[in-house]
Amino acid sequence: MSTLDLPRPQVAEAAASSGDAATQHAPSARAWALTMEQLAYLGLGLLALLAHLWALGDRALHHDETLHAAYSWFLYSGRGYIHDPLLHGPLLYHIGALCYWLFGDNDFTARLGAALAGTALTLTPYLIRREIGRLAALAAAVYLLISPVFLYYGRFIRHDIYSVLCEMLVFAAIVRYASTRRPAWLYAGALAFGLMYVNQETSYLFLLIMGAPLALAFLWRVYRPGVAVLGALAVAAVILAFVLPGEALVDGGHNATRDPQTGEMQFTPGPLFGWRPLETDDNGYALRIRNRADNDGGRGLLANLGLYLQDLGKFVGHPAVLLGLGLGLATLGGLWWAIWGRGGQSPWRAAREGGDPVADVFASLGEGRRWLVALAIFGAVYALFFTAFFTNLLGLITGTSGSLLYWLAQHNVQRGGQPRYYYLVQLAIYEPLLLLFGLIGFGLILWDTIRRWRSPAFNIQHSTFSILLIAWWAVGALVIYSWAGEKMPWLTTHVALPLVLLAAWAFQRSIQGAALIDPETDDPTSPPSAFSLQPSAFSLQPSAFSLFAALFAVILALCYVLMTAIVGFGESALLQPWAAMLFGLLLLALLTVGSGLRWGARWAIAALAICVAVGGALYTARSAYRLAYQNGDTPVEMLVYTQTSPDVMRVVRRLEEASRRRGNGLAMPVMYDNETVWLWYMRDFSKAQRTPEQLAGPPGDDVMAVLMLDENLAQYPQNRQLLDGFVIQRYPLRWWFPEDQIYRLSPGWHDAPLESVSLLGQLLRAPFDRDVDARLWKFLMFRETGYPLGSSDFVVAVRPEIASQIGVGLGGALDGANP
């Protein structure tokens, strides 16, 4: 079977029927008995639920979290919703509103939807256990539970955890439909992709990553010249979108400079044709085109539709866009004619008559018009959510056009300003086990390919469609997210997910004797009741493995103690930090080689893989615990990025207590400025009022507290005068990770003094320097950055009678004269 061959449905059905035949005479009560595999997943599910719900509301909501929580609350409280790609898709807000409706609105329930999605994600590998192997699926589920990236962002109100859950469901639907041809998988995939599409714009990237190999596989098996044609179209699209258009003259906010009379952008003409820039070069255009209310400006639906289409036409009317659309339609039309339009001589008919499995899968989409049902499912989800359940009909258009054009513009804006290697650094710090076994997985796939190339008769069950698709997914996600203009830590989930599956598969292969597997004893289509590894190439020999594992643990402990001592003693230490690492690696090499000589190379490889996986899992779980429960509101963690300080929630709670003590619940009058965090935290104060950055006059005598950004107090000195009589204290509002000092490589970093470049730069320039290695060890083990956290502050101005109830926080001291 070719490495691209898809399993025929009768294989799985035969395996399932054989399993049914083996149990059909068993007592009926046993039909409901849980297997050991199912019990394992049930236990993982309970642990995942506990891990995601534990202390869920104890941490102050991140800036983005407060926006998502607040807009969900607006929807819940009847203020409506209009899709805005600036804040991504509507799914999150409807789930948030549902959680509020069921359980009330607070910090815990704001994160509840994300926590449940994170819990569900942990169990999704169960769906593909037949495709990647039962042990690999279970290992992937365990890893998703202990992963720092997935645990932290599985307890975080952002769209990404919903998106990666849908990504996993779509992938499962693809591989399960390919192996079974059951329409339920197709419809489930359509539903999952529809939910992903209305949740976040990363769905476009996922569609590209998944759609490209499926299209290429189809063309390769049915009409191979189409591969070159499709590749040429992709190259042409990239050139038309990113090379040939001109470049607009923009300001710091990436808003284009325009002629005051004509409104035309000022620009540098593009190469070759001298074309003007795409309209999305102007961030102002992106903000205008991103959405439109049915009654915008007091106009009617049809009037606003006409105005929106007029704005949309400014982008579509660009020569590059028109040429791209024309090329796309012409290419697809030509491929359709070449594959289907030649009657009895068509490649499609030849592939069908030859029984090609890829053609069989695609042909099954037409049975009973399955593709039409799937499209209807997707369309129903799209229409319901983007129109906010038909309360904003323009969402039918803006749901796609607004999302695409807004985020195309953000590619140029490059929010976050992260380097190309950003996700590799994240994975190296938090998910080193994924990188290790992911590389092993790519190596095994390459080895299988070489063996097949050298021996056409070579047949192995592991480098099949599912594994190759996972590998493509892993490479595609890393490349496309590293290329995209906006790089944020939560997007690491999209890069890490396929690596989890690939690494789990590589771990399974490693402990099953490398490439030697007997398909008859490790059949991925075996019935669910069978859950045993059954490795044919080796036996672990418990006593021997116990000795190996004990020695492995001793070596790791010895290296840890030695490294801690070397770092602690500093310059007086006799050894360099790298020497301790080298010493440990040599001992592990001797242990593995010695075990290989005694019990065989495959046995030693398997034992080493298990011990490395367990040791790496302990490091990973420790990192996840510290990130999710200890440092979740303190940005000494790179994944925390920028975080609302604990003082914000503490001050709000103290104001709530002060209000209740005055009677009438939360009716104490307070004022707050333009900081968006207060939209969420001040929502329950019935007499809270929003004030502009510059106060129009002194607060009324009944106002007991004023919350204001420190920059507003500094920029408008009269604000301080108008708050005369209040006691003012400064607190950190938002603080962030010291990126420049840890991983950024500034221009000229390779020539600058070593102490002035980031830790990553120092490591690249002087990997064996004692101080550099010590700093790296302290950061990896204890998250000691060695630098203060950056912050932006806020002030709380309160009447003297309640000042003692607020107290001193993490930043600043109580001072009635100067903040």
Side-chain angles (χ1 to χ4, degrees):
M1 182 172 67
S2 168
T3 56
L4 283 177
D5 281 344
L6 300 175
R8 296 181 180 273
Q10 55 265 33
V11 175
E13 291 170 358
S17 63
S18 64
D20 294 341
T23 58
Q24 63 183 349
H25 300 297
S28 59
R30 293 179 59 85
W32 297 96
L34 292 173
T35 66
M36 290 298 296
E37 181 184 28
Q38 291 166 342
L39 285 172
Y41 279 98
L42 180 61
L44 279 176
L46 294 174
L47 286 175
L49 184 63
L50 177 62
H52 285 84
L53 295 183
W54 184 266
L56 188 61
D58 289 2
R59 186 178 77 245
L61 266 63
H62 176 280
H63 168 73
D64 287 10
E65 286 188 294
T66 58
L67 285 173
H68 299 149
Y71 278 86
S72 298
W73 183 73
F74 293 160
L75 180 60
Y76 159 69
S77 58
R79 295 172 59 175
Y81 171 82
I82 295 177
H83 164 243
D84 187 347
L86 175 66
L87 297 172
H88 303 297
L91 180 66
L92 176 146
Y93 304 103
H94 287 81
I95 292 176
L98 176 61
C99 290
Y100 297 155
W101 182 74
L102 290 173
F103 307 110
D105 56 296
N106 52 58
D107 288 1
F108 181 94
T109 56
R111 293 189 174 115
L112 181 58
L116 295 177
T119 302
L121 177 66
T122 305
L123 301 178
T124 52
Y126 181 82
L127 300 174
I128 56 172
R129 64 198 186 282
R130 293 179 177 87
E131 281 68 33
I132 67 173
R134 297 182 181 280
L135 179 63
L138 187 62
V142 171
Y143 194 90
L144 287 171
L145 171 62
I146 65 172
S147 162
V149 169
F150 291 104
L151 181 59
Y152 179 69
Y153 289 116
R155 296 161 45 87
F156 194 91
I157 321 171
R158 278 204 64 89
H159 298 73
D160 300 274
I161 191 62
Y162 298 113
S163 289
V164 293
L165 173 61
C166 291
E167 287 176 12
M168 190 66 188
L169 294 175
V170 170
F171 174 78
I174 291 173
V175 298
R176 293 301 295 144
Y177 184 78
S179 63
T180 67
R181 319 291 199 269
R182 293 176 181 172
W185 286 109
L186 177 64
Y187 304 150
L191 176 62
F193 183 72
L195 293 173
M196 187 199 315
Y197 193 86
V198 301
N199 179 63
Q200 195 176 18
E201 294 75 15
T202 54
S203 56
Y204 297 111
L205 302 182
F206 182 77
L207 179 61
L208 177 62
I209 293 170
M210 283 292 156
L214 297 180
L216 291 175
F218 172 80
L219 291 173
W220 183 258
R221 300 300 291 265
V222 177
Y223 181 66
R224 292 190 179 182
V227 174
V229 173
L230 199 62
L233 177 63
V235 172
V238 171
I239 292 174
L240 288 171
F242 299 104
V243 177
L244 293 181
E247 184 176 350
L249 302 178
V250 297
D251 59 18
H254 220 276
N255 297 304
T257 303
R258 293 183 178 269
D259 186 278
Q261 275 74 38
T262 64
E264 293 294 326
M265 282 191 291
Q266 305 298 308
F267 61 90
T268 302
L272 197 59
F273 301 115
W275 284 342
R276 70 179 190 274
L278 295 172
E279 285 295 319
T280 48
D281 254 23
D282 179 14
N283 195 45
Y285 173 81
L287 293 172
R288 188 171 71 253
I289 200 71
R290 72 185 194 269
N291 64 0
R292 194 70 53 89
D294 289 353
N295 59 353
D296 185 66
R299 295 178 292 268
L301 172 62
L302 293 179
N304 279 315
L305 174 62
L307 290 174
Y308 185 82
L309 292 178
Q310 182 179 344
D311 283 340
L312 187 59
K314 294 178 181 179
F315 175 83
V316 177
H318 191 283
V321 177
L322 291 174
L323 183 57
L325 291 174
L327 282 176
L329 292 174
T331 302
L332 294 178
L335 287 176
W336 181 91
W337 180 86
I339 296 171
W340 287 280
R342 290 185 285 173
Q345 303 300 319
S346 69
W348 174 251
R349 180 178 291 274
R352 293 288 289 128
E353 291 176 351
D356 186 90
V358 175
D360 288 346
V361 171
F362 281 88
S364 69
L365 297 175
E367 297 176 7
R369 299 186 177 180
R370 294 178 181 179
W371 68 273
L372 192 58
V373 176
L375 186 61
I377 293 172
F378 173 84
V381 174
Y382 178 95
L384 285 174
F385 281 94
F386 276 134
T387 64
F389 289 81
F390 304 108
T391 60
N392 188 64
L393 294 180
L394 274 177
L396 289 171
I397 300 175
T398 64
T400 293
S401 60
S403 298
L404 274 173
L405 299 187
Y406 176 78
W407 286 103
L408 181 61
Q410 299 317 299
H411 175 75
N412 294 324
V413 175
Q414 297 190 358
R415 295 194 307 183
Q418 302 295 353
R420 298 289 189 194
Y421 54 83
Y422 180 65
Y423 297 112
L424 287 176
V425 173
Q426 296 270 29
L427 293 173
I429 293 173
Y430 291 100
E431 313 283 359
L433 198 59
L434 279 192
L435 290 180
L436 173 62
F437 277 97
L439 289 174
I440 292 174
F442 284 115
L444 289 171
I445 291 174
L446 179 61
W447 175 242
D448 289 349
T449 303
I450 293 174
R451 294 187 68 183
R452 181 171 180 79
W453 175 72
R454 296 174 63 180
S455 175
F458 174 71
N459 183 17
I460 189 165
Q461 297 289 326
H462 293 277
S463 292
T464 53
F465 169 70
S466 302
I467 303 305
L468 292 176
L469 187 58
I470 290 172
W472 175 288
W473 182 10
V475 173
L478 178 60
V479 170
I480 203 165
Y481 280 99
S482 297
W483 165 81
E486 177 163 335
K487 301 178 186 68
M488 293 294 178
W490 38 80
L491 294 175
T492 310
T493 54
H494 303 271
V495 178
L497 181 59
L499 275 177
V500 171
L501 303 179
L502 183 63
W505 173 79
F507 169 69
Q508 176 182 258
R509 283 286 301 274
S510 299
I511 71 171
Q512 288 178 320
L516 297 180
I517 299 295
D518 182 359
E520 295 181 359
T521 60
D522 189 41
D523 184 2
T525 63
S526 57
S529 59
F531 181 57
S532 58
L533 179 58
Q534 297 178 326
S536 59
F538 69 94
S539 171
L540 273 181
Q541 304 177 17
S543 59
F545 177 73
S546 298
L547 176 61
F548 185 98
L551 292 174
F552 183 93
V554 169
I555 292 172
L556 287 189
L558 180 62
C559 287
Y560 181 84
V561 172
L562 184 59
M563 179 66 80
T564 303
I566 291 173
V567 172
F569 282 112
E571 294 293 335
S572 61
L574 298 178
L575 295 176
Q576 297 278 1
W578 60 265
M581 301 300 297
L582 180 61
F583 176 66
L585 291 175
L586 288 175
L587 288 180
L588 290 178
L590 289 174
L591 174 62
T592 305
V593 172
S595 299
L597 294 174
R598 175 63 179 84
W599 291 292
R602 300 188 193 107
W603 188 97
I605 290 173
L608 179 65
I610 293 174
C611 290
V612 168
V614 173
L618 290 175
Y619 173 84
T620 302
R622 176 180 179 271
S623 297
Y625 176 82
R626 292 170 64 88
L627 172 64
Y629 307 115
Q630 290 186 332
N631 300 329
D633 56 4
T634 308
V636 294
E637 302 276 2
M638 190 173 171
L639 281 179
V640 171
Y641 187 52
T642 179
Q643 168 65 29
T644 305
S645 83
D647 272 339
V648 171
M649 189 163 62
R650 188 187 63 80
V651 166
V652 171
R653 299 294 175 254
R654 294 292 179 87
L655 289 175
E656 290 174 349
E657 293 174 8
S659 179
R660 291 189 179 97
R661 289 174 181 173
R662 296 172 62 84
N664 299 322
L666 298 181
M668 183 177 73
V670 295
M671 297 174 63
Y672 60 91
D673 64 1
N674 58 315
E675 168 53 45
T676 56
V677 167
W678 310 130
L679 291 177
W680 171 251
Y681 280 113
M682 292 287 104
R683 71 192 185 285
D684 290 331
F685 282 87
S686 59
K687 295 184 179 180
Q689 53 182 309
R690 187 168 181 174
T691 181
E693 300 94 304
Q694 183 175 0
L695 294 175
D701 293 339
D702 60 337
V703 174
M704 300 301 295
V706 179
L707 298 165
M708 180 172 289
L709 289 173
D710 184 53
E711 62 190 57
N712 289 336
L713 201 66
Q715 184 176 357
Y716 304 104
Q718 61 269 38
N719 284 347
R720 181 64 189 87
Q721 299 171 7
L722 294 173
L723 291 175
D724 186 44
F726 285 80
V727 178
I728 301 175
Q729 184 178 356
R730 179 192 293 117
Y731 298 97
L733 169 73
R734 192 175 296 120
W735 45 11
W736 50 82
F737 182 79
E739 298 176 326
D740 292 337
Q741 293 80 11
I742 299 299
Y743 67 87
R744 289 186 182 274
L745 299 176
S746 58
W749 65 274
H750 49 281
D751 295 322
L754 187 64
E755 63 274 7
S756 67
V757 301
S758 66
L759 176 58
L760 176 60
Q762 292 178 14
L763 183 64
L764 293 174
R765 285 178 52 183
F768 302 111
D769 182 89
R770 178 191 299 273
D771 292 336
V772 172
D773 293 343
R775 285 187 58 204
L776 180 64
W777 173 259
K778 291 178 180 179
F779 176 69
L780 292 178
M781 288 293 108
F782 311 108
R783 296 297 186 260
E784 295 181 12
T785 65
Y787 295 94
L789 303 178
S791 72
S792 61
D793 301 336
F794 77 103
V795 296
V796 55
V798 296
R799 298 292 183 183
E801 54 263 40
I802 66 169
S804 61
Q805 299 178 35
I806 306 302
V808 177
L810 297 177
L814 194 63
D815 188 338
N818 295 296

